[in-house]
Amino acid sequence: MPERELPIPSHFDADRVGEVWRVAYEDRAIEAESWAREHGIAPAAEDDRRVCLLLVDIQNTFCIPDFELFVGGRSGNGAVDDNRRLCEFIYRNLANISRMTVTLDTHRPIQIFHAVFFVDAEGRHPPPYTLITPEDVESGRWRGNPAAAAALGETLEGLQEHLTHYTRALSAGGRYALTVWPYHAMLGGIGHALVSGVEEAVFFHSVARGSQPDFQVKGDNPLTESYSALGPEVLSDAAGRPVAHTNHALLRALTEYDAVIVAGQAKSHCVAWSVSDFLDRIEGRLPDVAGRFYLLEDCTSPVVVPGAIDYTDEADAAFDRFRAAGMHIVRSTTPFSGWPGILGH
């Protein structure tokens, strides 16, 4: 596989990465095939080393300023800067990346982390960023909304039982407390779509390399959060019956690549939990796989809401754990030759 870096195509406009616009697919397709011929880029099927770029939830809802859950990090412009660097990384390494796996956080209004799911004694919904603990549920401070129960085909008693079990399971498992997030990544809405600049780069790569992108939907189960791309926060209900399942197909696919490069949003949540989940599932079973993972530290940012929450320290602690487990923390601006492990020889 060639390890040379390519120039950035002229269609890429770094100043527009923080905006939403229509990708000119026909133009990009013609240019991608021409680009492949001009630079001698072989089809991905001919790669002797299979490299996956795992893009976690790089959607408008998280990455465009003024959208619902913009991940600004402490700089205030985190996701925009991350995606500019990411797009440039994709174009420079077009010949080195075999396939893109793209996760899409996918929600509907009535889900366990949205305000309409809950009411207090006066029928009011919790404001965004409310943390709901087992004590809140058991004391009745926050209870299931009868309308939500009816919409999901559940009894109110059953829903309340699930909330008690769910918040206890999160606490016992060392997970984040149940968070009421602003409505975001709504299926069918503009916030659900990939960031235009990243979508364009993924499309360009697909045509230039003859490589079908692998899109993975996550987060659409109404009874559990799903930060990880591999599975939900809680798998079963109070009676032990499954409410959701692990994505075994994606887990298996990630173990079969020679290298997996990870970028996306947010560093403190869906990126951290996806990588942590992966480590937990291969621990003691596939000890060499962790060394095939490369985390682009300059293409991801933590959730920071000034005056409300700041998960920077938790994100950094997670990345320290990943490094200790044998994964590589790298920068997008460093050529593969400067990376450790298989990609840097």
Side-chain angles (χ1 to χ4, degrees), residues 271-310:
V271 171
W273 284 117
S274 294
V275 176
S276 180
D277 200 3
F278 182 84
L279 273 178
D280 290 343
R281 294 175 190 279
I282 66 168
E283 190 172 20
R285 189 170 61 89
L286 298 168
D288 63 317
V289 172
R292 303 181 205 164
F293 269 63
Y294 297 80
L295 311 183
L296 293 176
E297 65 175 344
D298 60 341
C299 294
T300 184
S301 294
V303 170
V304 176
V305 180
I309 51 177
D310 185 338

Side-chain angles (χ1 to χ4, degrees), residues 71 176 227 265-273 300-304 310-316 318-319:
V71 181
Y176 291 139
Y227 296 126
Q265 303 303 336
K267 181 181 180 181
S268 53
H269 285 73
C270 294
V271 171
W273 284 117
T300 184
S301 294
V303 170
V304 176
D310 185 338
Y311 285 102
T312 302
D313 292 342
E314 289 86 346
D316 291 344
F319 269 50

Side-chain angles (χ1 to χ4, degrees), residues 242-280:
V243 296
H245 301 279
T246 298
N247 188 339
H248 290 290
L250 177 57
L251 175 64
R252 182 171 57 253
L254 293 177
T255 65
E256 293 173 351
Y257 287 104
D258 295 299
V260 177
I261 305 168
V262 184
Q265 303 303 336
K267 181 181 180 181
S268 53
H269 285 73
C270 294
V271 171
W273 284 117
S274 294
V275 176
S276 180
D277 200 3
F278 182 84
L279 273 178
D280 290 343

Side-chain angles (χ1 to χ4, degrees), residues 213-251:
D214 174 26
F215 287 95
Q216 297 279 336
V217 169
K218 58 182 277 288
D220 56 345
N221 188 303
L223 296 177
T224 179
E225 302 153 289
S226 294
Y227 296 126
S228 169
L230 297 175
E233 294 293 278
V234 175
L235 288 166
S236 61
D237 64 13
R241 297 167 300 201
V243 296
H245 301 279
T246 298
N247 188 339
H248 290 290
L250 177 57
L251 175 64

Side-chain angles (χ1 to χ4, degrees), residues 313-335:
D313 292 342
E314 289 86 346
D316 291 344
F319 269 50
D320 286 343
R321 180 205 166 197
F322 303 151
R323 182 186 289 107
M327 293 182 170
H328 308 287
I329 312 300
V330 296
R331 297 188 67 80
S332 65
T333 51
T334 303

Side-chain angles (χ1 to χ4, degrees), residues 41 56 68 107-108 117 120 139-140 146 191 205 208 216 226:
I41 302 171
V56 179
E68 300 87 2
H107 303 319
R108 294 176 174 84
F117 204 90
D120 64 11
S139 69
H205 171 272
Q216 297 279 336
S226 294

